[in-house]
Amino acid sequence: MATPVLVYDGDCGFCTRSVRLAEKLPLRARIVPWQEADLTALRTTEQRARHEVLWVDEAGRVSGGSDAVAALLRHCGFPWSLPGAVLSLPVLRGIARLGYRWVADNRHRLPGSTPACALPADQRPGA
């Protein structure tokens, strides 16, 4: 794979708003909602894509959740690579994963959310 891919939930307003922020970074990656992605070609599953944001690097390795956010930031170069490296440190990785899971589980309560964010994954549009 020549270009990394960021896969997100296109039905979630909070996720879409977060991706719009990521697009402002010096990011050379294809950004695609999982609902439009060829998940098999990206070596992942719909179940995983519904659960967390995914980063598929140039070698086809798939990272999810806070690990995907860290990989995205590292890919952006300095100064963005610094917080990406910090999030990847073993001592902070567990905390970052807990923080990501809290945000993902509560995204329907956060700014930019839409009613679809509050629905169980199997009931969202496109399910």
Side-chain angles (χ1 to χ4, degrees), residues 9-27:
D9 184 349
D11 290 332
C12 172
F14 178 80
C15 299
T16 301
R17 192 172 184 173
S18 298
V19 164
R20 297 299 165 249
L21 291 173
E23 289 176 330
K24 295 179 182 187
L25 298 172
L27 180 64

Side-chain angles (χ1 to χ4, degrees), residues 54-111:
L54 301 172
W55 176 262
V56 184
D57 70 14
E58 297 90 340
R61 290 181 297 254
V62 181
S63 302
S66 63
D67 294 340
V69 173
L72 175 149
L73 290 170
R74 287 192 314 270
H75 184 76
C76 288
F78 187 81
W80 301 104
S81 58
L82 291 176
V86 169
L87 287 173
S88 300
L89 293 172
V91 70
L92 294 179
R93 190 178 302 134
I95 295 168
R97 287 176 178 167
L98 287 173
Y100 179 89
R101 185 55 24 220
W102 184 90
V103 168
D105 290 344
N106 291 283
R107 61 188 174 170
H108 62 283
R109 295 182 176 111
L110 300 173

